Amino acid sequence: MPFEVLTPEAIQRRQYWVQEIAKISGKFGDDSAKVERELVAELRHDGVSALLDHLHLCGSIPEHYGHDSSEEKLYSKYTDALLASTFSYLGLTSLVLTERADSADVEAVAENYSLVADAKVFRLSRTAKNQKDFKIEALHGWKRGKLHAMVVCPIYQLPARTSQIYQQAIARNVCIFSYAHLAVLVEFSNLVSKKEATQLLLRILKCAEHLNPTKDSVAYWSCINQAMLNSNSAIRPIWQREKLATIESIIAAKEEALTILAQERERIMRMSKQEAIKTLVNDRNLHGREKVIRALGDNGIMSIA
């Protein structure tokens, strides 16, 4: 079906990056830097339209990436680089942190405030998500003197009714945000000014400070949405466009995932019996599990006197 906001070029850009990440994944540290360099170069060349394309379509991990694979890990680093590039476009100085495991993935500094941030993405096929997936408590601990923290998620994966994550976010002063809301900020920055966009971002970060801790998503998102909609009359038409973009992005993500699963099903149906057995043995990692078991032996603790 034709889209009103998402262009064919946006879909092609998504396909290119999904393939590119799969192609270059391998040595994790080197690949992370390469992805960041390539993304920054593309955004510099293609401008705000490319940035919006990425924000609209980045939220879902491709279904054909293996769980905990190099592709999946590199995809996560791609979204970190995208988040840092978005902050930079809004007028902040931003940096992706790659060396430390006990820190946020992104830091950003504006003229009168600073923050740490984390980009979250999920597979469409993933069912249960728990509060630890959103790293609210961890982000609070990673502020290290900064007043603000933000976790950015695909909007369609956020709880729409009640959830412990909202209570945690309010209590810990961590802003839960979405790529769709970020796209609104980017368009606002492009239409009005970077200065006003950075100050609007600060109001958003401070928004939940005045809420009583609650699991109610309506209370939380009313605060965030009204802070944005009431900030400037230019926001409302942007908001309507991004609401439509969100619907189209969900359709596009579902079509991508369902196509991948259909291709995988066809591949399995075409397997010989021997190929199917070999694939199942590999998928269950029987050889690797046997190796661990065979290596187990007496560790000598009982002989220590």
Side-chain angles (χ1 to χ4, degrees):
M1 62 173 290
F3 293 130
E4 292 186 39
V5 179
L6 297 186
T7 63
E9 290 75 21
I11 304 297
Q12 291 169 7
R13 194 186 305 277
R14 163 69 177 179
Q15 293 171 346
Y16 168 81
W17 275 93
V18 168
Q19 294 167 4
E20 182 72 356
I21 288 169
K23 183 174 69 176
I24 67 175
S25 60
K27 293 183 179 178
F28 186 55
D30 294 342
D31 291 347
S32 299
K34 183 175 181 181
V35 163
E36 185 175 1
R37 287 195 302 270
E38 186 172 338
L39 179 63
V40 169
E42 180 188 85
L43 296 178
R44 188 181 298 118
H45 183 270
D46 294 347
V48 66
S49 62
L51 180 56
L52 291 170
D53 287 348
H54 283 282
L55 291 173
H56 289 152
L57 295 171
C58 73
S60 59
I61 300 171
E63 289 291 334
H64 62 289
Y65 288 0
H67 287 275
D68 294 322
S69 64
S70 58
E71 295 97 332
E72 184 180 78
K73 292 173 183 176
L74 191 56
Y75 190 89
S76 177
K77 286 301 176 182
Y78 149 73
T79 54
D80 292 338
L82 176 61
L83 182 56
S85 293
T86 303
F87 287 142
S88 296
Y89 184 85
L90 294 175
L92 290 80
T93 300
S94 188
L95 178 68
V96 178
L97 302 176
T98 58
E99 300 301 324
R100 289 162 48 189
D102 63 335
S103 69
D105 293 322
V106 176
E107 287 189 1
V109 177
E111 185 176 342
N112 59 337
Y113 66 93
S114 59
L115 70 146
V116 296
D118 196 11
K120 302 301 294 181
V121 284
F122 303 99
R123 296 172 186 272
L124 290 192
S125 59
R126 180 164 180 187
T127 51
K129 290 179 286 294
N130 59 55
Q131 62 192 44
K132 291 183 180 179
D133 291 326
F134 296 92
K135 293 186 178 178
I136 305 298
E137 296 286 349
L139 270 172
H140 172 66
W142 292 335
K143 287 178 183 175
R144 296 195 170 96
K146 293 180 173 58
L147 296 179
H148 307 291
M150 173 179 279
V151 57
V152 183
C153 311
I155 195 167
Y156 46 82
Q157 298 281 19
L158 286 163
R161 292 184 176 86
T162 60
S163 174
Q164 187 77 23
I165 68 167
Y166 297 117
Q167 188 175 53
Q168 288 180 343
I170 295 167
R172 299 299 191 185
N173 194 22
V174 173
C175 178
I176 300 172
F177 214 47
S178 80
Y179 297 106
H181 287 81
L182 265 186
V184 172
L185 275 179
V186 167
E187 289 205 60
F188 177 69
S189 173
N190 190 53
L191 184 66
V192 180
S193 73
K194 294 184 184 298
K195 183 176 181 180
E196 289 203 37
T198 57
Q199 291 311 303
L200 176 53
L201 177 58
L202 177 59
R203 286 197 293 274
I204 292 163
L205 291 166
K206 297 172 69 174
C207 182
E209 289 180 3
H210 306 295
L211 290 175
N212 290 320
T214 175
K215 297 179 182 179
D216 183 16
S217 68
V218 174
Y220 180 85
W221 288 111
S222 292
C223 178
I224 296 291
N225 293 349
Q226 288 303 315
M228 297 181 71
L229 286 165
N230 295 336
S231 65
N232 191 298
S233 60
I235 288 283
R236 198 162 292 275
I238 298 172
W239 193 269
Q240 294 304 317
R241 169 184 163 86
E242 287 305 323
K243 282 178 67 177
L244 180 57
T246 296
I247 295 170
E248 293 180 356
S249 298
I250 294 171
I251 294 171
K254 288 169 65 176
E255 183 62 27
E256 175 190 277
L258 290 172
T259 298
I260 290 170
L261 294 182
Q263 291 169 346
E264 180 68 7
R265 184 163 50 247
E266 180 176 340
R267 185 182 70 83
I268 292 171
M269 291 171 67
R270 292 183 182 277
M271 284 181 179
S272 66
K273 180 180 178 180
Q274 194 61 35
E275 287 173 332
I277 292 171
K278 183 178 179 181
T279 298
L280 183 58
V281 168
N282 289 336
D283 285 348
R284 295 295 301 276
N285 190 29
L286 297 186
H287 296 312
R289 289 153 69 188
E290 281 182 356
K291 185 177 180 181
V292 171
I293 292 168
R294 292 183 188 281
L296 194 64
D298 178 25
N299 60 13
I301 287 179
M302 292 294 291
S303 300
I304 297 174

